Amino acid sequence: MKQLFLFLSLIIVVIFVSACSGSSSKDEVKVMRLANATPDDRSLSKALYLFEERLEEETDGSIDVEVYTNSVIGGDREVFEGMQLNTIQGASMSTGPIAQFADSFNVFELPFLFANEEEAYEVLDGDVGDRLLDELNEQNVIGLNYWENGFRILSNNVREIKTVDDVKGLDIRTLENEWHMELWNELGANPTPMNYGELYIGLEQGTVDAQENPVGNVVNSHFYEVQDHLTVTNHIYNASPFMVSKPFWESLTKEEQAAVKKVSDEVQQEQRKMNQQEVEDSFAIVKEKGMKVTELSEEELERFREATSQVRERYIDKYGDEWLKQIEAETN
């Protein structure tokens, strides 16, 4: 309710400012509001602040960037809708929430699609990734490139997860995404979509036993305080596209567009490096905080892949195999 109030307040402010501006000149400073649902300490939020600093310098102040992290003006859905309405001018979020608006992005929510980050980068930074970003045009959004949220891992407060069978019966908080829920259903768990902002309390009160997120979220949201076990499943790799509102993009001069693209590409490379360091540091922190960290054997990982193979089959039945085949061709 608080997030909705803040979001509506922002819209009112934007309308008021627009009405008061009257006959604006071409030299008027353009405001670019960036938002995400990610804690301040995550690499994705740090990257937004870096983008702010670099773009304002690159454009000599013709674009004034404001950054709102940690769901201050809404969760992923509200932020994406804000870009469509141009009340928010830019954002970076995982592909899962984006898939609620652009079906093609569902391919990135399939289990065990990428074996490592290098495979993901090859696809994301190539022709397949570019064409998927082009799909966002229909949503009044421009996709510029892919930042990184990282591989999702599983934590819980019931038992150590060493095998596929250990997952059965767990109440797991998931994203509100069909394929994430299908994955855990196939493994015999009980997937429960829940707003990320409510997750800590849900874990603390036992509404859910478990959650799955990149390890950076386990640290920055202090899940180690209410979870004893962490298993490195790496079941889904989450890219985090950096996007801007199409109306905002079209309001920029060609020079400003070039600056936004240049800076977003520079920040992409630095954000990925930050995220890799964050992963390394986060695993050290959760161990220090007392979590039991379990690495799965290659044989057990293969059992996880086999147990979730039907998720791909259902995806193909619904959407066809065009995108999946192209990704597999680039990763095999």
Side-chain angles (χ1 to χ4, degrees):
M1 192 69 183
K2 182 179 178 183
Q3 290 177 357
L4 178 59
F5 175 76
L6 289 169
F7 184 61
L8 292 174
S9 297
L10 179 60
I11 293 176
I12 292 169
V13 169
V14 172
I15 293 172
F16 178 77
V17 171
S18 299
C20 292
S21 62
S23 56
S24 59
S25 69
K26 291 183 179 178
D27 296 329
E28 184 182 1
V29 172
K30 300 177 174 100
V31 176
M32 184 180 191
R33 299 172 188 84
L34 303 180
N36 70 18
T38 308
D40 254 346
D41 290 340
R42 283 293 316 269
S43 62
L44 285 166
S45 293
K46 292 176 181 177
L48 290 185
Y49 288 112
L50 181 60
F51 180 91
E52 174 186 25
E53 176 186 331
R54 295 263 181 97
L55 186 64
E56 289 181 349
E57 181 179 346
E58 187 72 25
T59 61
D60 197 24
S62 74
I63 299 177
D64 177 26
V65 182
E66 300 174 358
V67 177
Y68 302 89
T69 62
N70 204 26
S71 299
V72 169
I73 52 176
D76 290 325
R77 173 177 284 277
E78 290 83 8
V79 168
F80 195 93
E81 290 172 346
M83 284 191 293
Q84 291 178 310
L85 296 169
N86 197 26
T87 55
I88 294 171
Q89 285 70 48
S92 183
M93 68 181 66
S94 291
T95 50
I98 296 171
Q100 298 176 49
F101 298 89
D103 284 347
S104 299
F105 279 82
N106 277 295
V107 71
F108 289 136
E109 306 316 301
L110 295 177
F112 304 104
L113 189 64
F114 300 117
N116 50 53
E117 289 86 354
E118 287 69 30
E119 275 192 2
Y121 299 160
E122 185 176 356
V123 171
L124 297 168
D125 299 341
D127 180 62
V128 172
D130 286 343
R131 287 191 291 114
L132 278 162
L133 288 178
D134 288 343
E135 299 277 310
L136 293 173
N137 281 301
E138 295 181 7
Q139 301 301 319
N140 215 29
V141 169
I142 301 291
L144 294 179
N145 57 23
Y146 296 88
W147 296 1
E148 178 172 85
N149 196 13
F151 279 103
R152 302 180 78 86
I153 50 85
L154 175 66
S155 75
N156 84 96
N157 200 37
V158 177
R159 55 181 170 267
E160 181 182 4
I161 305 299
K162 297 184 289 186
T163 70
V164 170
D165 295 334
D166 292 332
V167 177
K168 291 178 180 177
L170 286 181
D171 296 323
I172 302 177
R173 179 270 177 183
T174 68
L175 289 176
E176 190 180 345
N177 180 277
E178 175 180 2
W179 308 107
H180 286 237
M181 296 179 70
E182 288 271 3
L183 184 162
W184 296 111
N185 276 322
E186 285 296 316
L187 295 175
N190 306 310
T192 305
M194 182 183 294
N195 186 294
Y196 186 79
E198 301 169 358
L199 179 52
Y200 183 95
I201 294 174
L203 293 168
E204 184 178 41
Q205 295 181 345
T207 307
V208 288
D209 306 315
Q211 66 84 41
E212 47 85 51
N213 261 296
V215 66
N217 281 3
V218 176
V219 171
N220 286 292
S221 293
H222 301 270
F223 294 151
Y224 53 78
E225 296 176 348
V226 289
Q227 299 271 271
D228 292 334
H229 307 284
L230 186 151
T231 304
V232 187
T233 49
N234 288 353
H235 50 278
I236 291 175
Y237 172 84
N238 272 161
S240 191
F242 181 70
M243 304 162 288
V244 297
S245 166
K246 189 174 180 179
F248 173 72
W249 179 259
E250 292 174 345
S251 76
L252 301 178
T253 65
K254 289 183 179 179
E255 292 76 17
E256 288 169 335
Q257 289 179 350
V260 170
K261 178 59 176 165
K262 175 178 181 287
V263 172
S264 68
D265 286 342
E266 291 174 356
V267 172
Q268 176 204 52
Q269 297 305 310
E270 297 198 36
Q271 188 273 331
R272 286 175 175 177
K273 291 177 185 176
M274 283 193 289
N275 198 67
Q276 291 307 303
Q277 186 62 53
E278 181 182 276
V279 169
E280 183 179 334
D281 293 344
S282 294
F283 275 116
I285 290 169
V286 296
K287 290 176 183 178
E288 180 185 318
K289 295 295 184 179
M291 290 190 82
K292 169 71 173 175
V293 176
T294 302
E295 300 268 357
L296 296 172
S297 67
E298 184 54 44
E299 292 77 16
E300 201 58 41
L301 276 171
E302 185 57 34
R303 287 189 66 203
F304 271 84
R305 295 187 194 103
E306 291 175 0
T308 57
S309 61
Q310 285 300 310
V311 178
R312 288 195 183 199
E313 296 303 317
R314 292 193 191 101
Y315 167 86
I316 292 170
D317 288 343
K318 186 169 184 176
Y319 294 116
D321 61 0
E322 177 190 358
W323 291 112
L324 187 57
K325 275 188 173 179
Q326 291 178 60
I327 290 173
E328 290 174 338
E330 293 192 14
T331 55
N332 289 337

